[in-house]
Amino acid sequence: MEDMEAAEVENRRGRRIPVAMHLEVSSVFKQNNVHVSNINAPIEVTDISKYGIGFVTKNILPIGFYFDSRLNFEDGRDSINCVVRIVRRKQREDGLTVYGCEFVGMSPVFDYIFDGTERNYISEIDYRDLEH
């Protein structure tokens, strides 16, 4: 199992940064006008990259569906509205479900915001390494 997880990490297009964000998904949709409402799924974002987010929730969400999201970054200064597509799902032993999602039609300003978030994260790691 560890080999499979390592392979998943290697296939990612961008560096994943751990984050603590909370979102709520109230509806999901597909491009062919299929729409599912009244989901009210609280989710906890676990990591983010330029290309997508990972999150956990108690709810089951359909793969291939999209949802609208507003991401508020830790520093409180930056936030961005985006559309996210659910691309993978994995059930955990504790009953939560882990999801992998990709950003769709992301604004170019996100690159600037994410680059700053990534620099801050790398600086924190370097600082912690110096303390030890």
Side-chain angles (χ1 to χ4, degrees):
M1 177 136 178
E2 290 179 40
D3 292 336
M4 285 177 41
E5 289 176 9
E8 286 179 32
V9 172
E10 292 171 10
N11 289 331
R12 290 183 173 148
R13 294 184 296 168
R15 175 191 291 256
R16 291 274 175 164
I17 296 175
V19 294
M21 293 182 188
H22 298 279
L23 302 173
E24 182 152 329
V25 176
S26 58
S27 66
V28 294
F29 55 92
K30 260 196 146 171
Q31 288 180 333
N32 59 359
N33 293 324
V34 175
H35 195 268
V36 180
S37 300
N38 299 322
I39 294 175
N40 300 320
I43 65 175
E44 182 179 333
V45 178
T46 56
D47 56 61
I48 190 169
S49 77
K50 281 186 182 182
Y51 305 104
I53 60 174
F55 66 84
V56 296
T57 183
K58 292 179 183 178
N59 298 67
I60 302 298
L61 301 171
I63 293 175
F65 277 65
Y66 301 79
F67 63 91
D68 294 317
S69 176
R70 180 174 181 87
L71 300 174
N72 297 305
F73 290 84
E74 292 174 349
D75 63 8
R77 293 180 295 163
D78 296 317
S79 66
I80 193 160
N81 294 319
C82 57
V83 176
V84 178
R85 183 170 73 94
I86 302 167
V87 295
R88 69 182 154 279
R89 171 178 67 210
K90 182 179 178 184
Q91 191 70 35
R92 289 194 330 199
E93 291 179 15
D94 63 3
L96 294 175
T97 305
V98 178
Y99 289 88
C101 301
E102 67 181 354
F103 296 124
V104 179
M106 183 59 72
S107 167
V109 74
F110 180 72
D111 285 344
Y112 172 77
I113 293 170
F114 184 81
D115 287 346
T117 301
E118 186 176 40
R119 276 192 302 276
N120 290 342
Y121 174 71
I122 291 169
S123 295
E124 287 176 20
I125 290 175
D126 291 344
Y127 181 75
R128 280 183 269 175
D129 287 344
L130 289 174
E131 289 182 329
H132 291 63

